[in-house]
Amino acid sequence: MENLAAKYTHIPGWGIDADPKNDPTYPLKHHTDSEHDGYNWERPAQQSQDVEVLQSIERPSLPAVFGTTVAPQGLSGQLRRFAFKYSESHYGHWLPLLLADRVNMVEGLVDDLKQGHIPNIFAEKGWKAEWKHNPLGLVQKVATTALVTWAVVAFFSRKKDKA
Amino acid sequence: MLAMNYRGPRRVRVDQKPYPEIKHPEDAIVRVTRSCICGSDLHLYNGNVPDTRVGSTFGHEFVGIIEEVGPAVDKVKVGDHVLVPFNVACGKCVFCQQGLYGNCHESNAQATAVGGIFGYSHTAGGYDGGQAEYVRVPYANFGPTVIPPDMDPDDAVLLTDVFPTGYQAAEMGGIQPGDTVVIFGAGPVGIMAAKSSWLFGAGRVIVIDEVNYRLEFVRDYAQCEVFNFREMDDPVVFIKKLTDWIGADVCIDAVGAEARGNVLQTITGRKTLLQAGSATVLHWAINSVRKGGTVSVVGVYGPTDNLVPIGNVVNKGITIRANQTAVKRHLPKLIDHIQSGRVSPKAIITHRVPLEEIADAYHIFSEKLDNCIKTVLIPPSARV
Ligand SMILES: NC(=O)c1ccc[n+]([C@@H]2O[C@H](COP(=O)([O-])OP(=O)(O)OC[C@H]3O[C@@H](n4cnc5c(N)ncnc54)[C@H](O)[C@@H]3O)[C@@H](O)[C@H]2O)c1
Ligand SMILES: [Zn+2]
Ligand SMILES: [Zn+2]
């Protein structure tokens, strides 16, 4: 504080009401004031990069350690790369990522089929547990889906008849 | 090795995946002995967190045995049974130095707002998680903590997130002796927040949810008052009445983005993702806390915008405090609370499921079937 005060002698009253106890983040944060020194800590060793890692444009370089699972690929990967042109405060970042997630789900189905694996979607959704613990709910769900499908099909075939 | 495999919204299965590799001198490989499903996983499971890639493995709450260590690891050794805080934290960056282990700046390439979290999408760093037989654990000199010999691993696994998070929720409330604390959510986090509120000297602890079996559990477990919001015309008026028309001193959001109870919020926040999750509980908390009160938020929301009554935060002079929990900061105190018998976190575990049955386990936890509160997954290699 004394050191800092020397820097601000040109400002009348600088720091006169400073109150270190008025800290809403305590005890979450031990004050070191080292954030005022910027990106200046003794960094851990740098992990070497062996897969594509997308990097937020709000940071100058990769962190010392990063995850390497499921690198961006295919159309979803293109969308993700595009998203990383924008900062985290931008819809241009998050909306393409959400879209990529939906595209990725379809890519996942295609991958499964390519590998000769037909995914058991009912099992993946845990319907066995639904049947065991909430059979009535499951029946209702199936009935509603059937009804909606029937209504949609009926609606569109009626239109076709007219045209 | 077997690992959970995310296939798209509400679709998960277990598949064979490659054994994880040491990628950094401070890495360790941990053989998982128990891992949990968390309310946070539901945001991923529902497809609500951007950059959740198909093929990822979830799981940020796990304990296990160190199988392999990188050349720079000297604080833990092969064979140690460790609990692994959900935060990937370096211990060296400016934020870690200040104890903000949930905000490490050396663990997440994809986003600066959040530190790295195991098994929690690429937005939280792109790490595979612990709902698997093995997992890569970076910064093994800093995060993993040897489980005290007299501690049940079931208690230990709840020290990786749930107990510290409930505790920090109460801590951030700045609870003063005699304060009335209202907690929204009777899930694992809300339950531990209720228990912890007493440790800070609360005068009254009130928990609100819509699921009766959870309310009944927390009423007995944390000796608190409970109310079902489905039985209220207006939760805000209800809480005002309950507090002499003043409002609660502290409100805790232990629900987050998946909140129910308001049609507009549900449509915009959960069904169409026009906002980053439903902000129903933030509304209720901000509007039912007293003037000058504190709202403590541990419920998780997405990274974009929410419809929140910020005007009333100003009008009422409310302090909002929130964070991802800095798990490691709380461990010494919470280990003592467990060893002294003051708190038994493992009492909230209702389901133990083989890892192979993960799809059913997610469905049961998500739909609150079979009176489920907390689910522990046991990998085959830990069952012998
Ligand atoms: N900040 C952190 O570090 C951190 C750590 C762990 C979990 N979390 C978050 O905490 C939240 C709770 O986690 P959990 O494991 O207990 O989840 P959970 O899904 O088991 O519990 C949430 C509970 O909230 C209830 N609920 C829904 N809408 C409600 C409403 N309007 N009012 C009151 N209750 C309502 C649900 O019925 C459910 O019982 C999640 O958002 C999770 O992501 C945060
Ligand atoms: Zn969790
Ligand atoms: Zn750090």
Side-chain angles (χ1 to χ4, degrees):
Chain A
M1 179 92 185
E2 277 75 50
N3 296 348
L4 266 184
K7 239 169 105 181
Y8 295 100
T9 47
H10 58 293
I11 296 181
W14 183 88
I16 198 161
D17 295 331
D19 177 5
K21 287 206 196 100
N22 182 15
D23 170 13
T25 57
Y26 180 82
L28 267 64
K29 178 179 157 187
H30 316 300
H31 274 244
T32 60
D33 288 339
S34 45
E35 63 268 53
H36 301 160
D37 304 333
Y39 225 94
N40 226 343
W41 54 88
E42 189 199 324
R43 300 193 61 194
Q46 180 64 49
Q47 176 180 341
S48 57
Q49 195 184 345
D50 52 4
V51 296
E52 181 179 359
V53 175
L54 299 173
Q55 185 192 315
S56 166
I57 62 169
E58 292 179 49
R59 55 179 312 138
S61 56
L62 283 175
V65 155
F66 45 85
T68 54
T69 191
V70 209
Q73 274 176 20
L75 177 60
S76 66
Q78 298 288 1
L79 287 163
R80 296 192 206 283
R81 289 182 196 107
F82 171 81
F84 276 81
K85 292 190 170 50
Y86 296 94
S87 82
E88 292 158 57
S89 102
H90 223 288
Y91 280 119
H93 183 70
W94 301 112
L95 296 183
L97 284 176
L98 274 176
L99 179 64
D101 289 351
R102 299 301 168 262
V103 169
N104 201 187
M105 179 186 73
V106 179
E107 291 170 336
L109 277 174
V110 173
D111 278 352
D112 269 347
L113 294 176
K114 268 199 208 149
Q115 286 162 21
H117 174 82
I118 299 176
N120 181 346
I121 293 185
F122 296 110
E124 289 175 358
K125 282 178 163 293
W127 280 35
K128 200 175 88 208
E130 181 81 14
W131 178 243
K132 183 161 170 212
H133 299 292
N134 189 20
L136 214 70
L138 186 62
V139 171
Q140 266 170 6
K141 237 180 253 173
V142 172
T144 318
T145 315
L147 200 72
V148 171
T149 317
W150 174 78
V152 170
V153 170
F155 178 78
F156 281 105
S157 41
R158 186 196 59 160
K159 265 198 166 163
K160 246 184 238 149
D161 289 348
K162 269 193 194 158
Chain B
M1 65 149 186
L2 284 184
M4 178 268 196
N5 183 346
Y6 171 73
R7 304 309 299 165
R10 306 186 68 78
R11 284 180 49 218
V12 299
R13 65 179 187 236
V14 161
D15 276 334
Q16 286 292 335
K17 279 194 160 190
Y19 180 85
E21 281 170 44
I22 302 260
K23 299 261 185 188
H24 182 272
E26 284 175 65
D27 279 0
I29 305 296
V30 167
R31 178 166 68 79
V32 176
T33 50
R34 278 167 184 69
S35 65
C36 296
I37 303 180
C38 175
S40 297
D41 291 325
L42 296 182
H43 314 313
L44 300 173
Y45 180 66
N46 290 328
N48 293 352
V49 179
D51 217 353
T52 303
R53 300 184 193 169
V54 168
S56 312
T57 296
F58 302 167
H60 57 270
E61 303 180 1
F62 56 93
V63 294
I65 292 166
I66 306 244
E67 283 283 304
E68 208 185 320
V69 291
V73 175
D74 53 12
K75 299 282 194 300
V76 286
K77 55 184 191 310
V78 171
D80 283 348
H81 201 179
V82 292
L83 69 93
V84 181
F86 78 83
N87 328 99
V88 182
C90 74
K92 289 186 175 152
C93 72
V94 51
F95 304 112
C96 283
Q97 278 173 36
Q98 298 180 338
L100 299 171
Y101 308 130
N103 313 99
C104 176
H105 216 60
E106 292 284 15
S107 56
N108 184 357
Q110 282 86 352
T112 54
V114 57
I117 300 176
F118 289 98
Y120 209 72
S121 85
H122 278 70
T123 294
Y127 297 93
D128 272 330
Q131 291 168 6
E133 288 189 285
Y134 297 90
V135 60
R136 169 191 172 214
V137 174
Y139 298 129
N141 282 333
F142 191 73
T145 302
V146 176
I147 302 174
D150 59 342
M151 181 176 286
D152 188 329
D154 283 349
D155 278 326
V157 76
L158 296 174
L159 280 173
T160 61
D161 179 349
V162 168
F163 186 16
T165 298
Y167 186 84
Q168 186 169 322
E171 178 192 70
M172 291 191 298
I175 298 168
Q176 297 300 311
D179 273 359
T180 295
V181 182
V182 171
I183 296 156
F184 294 95
V189 171
I191 292 169
M192 295 320 291
K195 195 88 184 166
S196 302
S197 294
W198 296 121
L199 301 174
F200 289 95
R204 265 179 100 180
V205 178
I206 298 163
V207 177
I208 296 190
D209 200 301
E210 62 170 335
V211 181
N212 282 327
Y213 76 80
R214 289 186 166 199
L215 288 172
E216 283 158 22
F217 178 86
V218 70
R219 184 192 57 210
D220 299 341
Y221 177 76
Q223 298 126 291
C224 56
E225 300 166 57
V226 297
F227 298 98
N228 187 326
F229 68 79
R230 293 289 174 196
E231 291 161 13
M232 305 169 187
D233 290 334
D234 180 334
V236 171
V237 178
F238 184 89
I239 292 166
K240 288 279 172 71
K241 268 194 206 163
L242 211 58
T243 54
D244 259 344
W245 298 99
I246 295 290
D249 299 294
V250 176
C251 283
I252 293 176
D253 173 355
V255 181
E258 249 48 66
R260 295 152 57 90
N262 177 299
V263 176
L264 178 75
Q265 291 279 353
T266 296
I267 292 173
T268 55
R270 290 175 41 221
K271 303 294 176 199
T272 56
L273 298 187
L274 292 174
Q275 49 166 339
S278 129
T280 303
V281 167
L282 288 175
H283 268 260
W284 291 354
I286 288 167
N287 289 329
S288 55
V289 79
R290 67 162 159 80
K291 294 173 182 175
T294 303
V295 172
S296 164
V297 186
V298 286
V300 161
Y301 294 87
T304 54
D305 309 304
N306 276 107
L307 290 167
V308 173
I310 195 71
N312 282 352
V313 175
V314 178
N315 293 337
K316 297 171 75 173
I318 293 168
T319 301
I320 297 186
R321 295 176 73 181
N323 209 341
Q324 293 287 345
T325 305
V327 171
K328 196 179 162 85
R329 182 168 64 84
H330 301 290
L331 288 179
K333 223 181 236 174
L334 301 191
I335 287 173
D336 180 55
H337 286 324
I338 293 174
Q339 288 176 329
S340 69
R342 281 185 284 268
V343 181
S344 166
K346 70 179 176 196
I348 71 170
I349 296 173
T350 51
H351 287 64
R352 306 176 152 273
V353 183
L355 177 65
E356 296 91 315
E357 292 172 25
I358 198 156
D360 288 345
Y362 263 88
H363 188 86
I364 288 172
F365 179 69
S366 160
E367 296 307 304
K368 305 181 179 66
L369 302 175
D370 198 27
N371 292 353
C372 181
I373 294 176
K374 191 72 180 171
T375 301
V376 176
L377 300 163
I378 320 272
S381 41
R383 292 203 297 269
V384 281

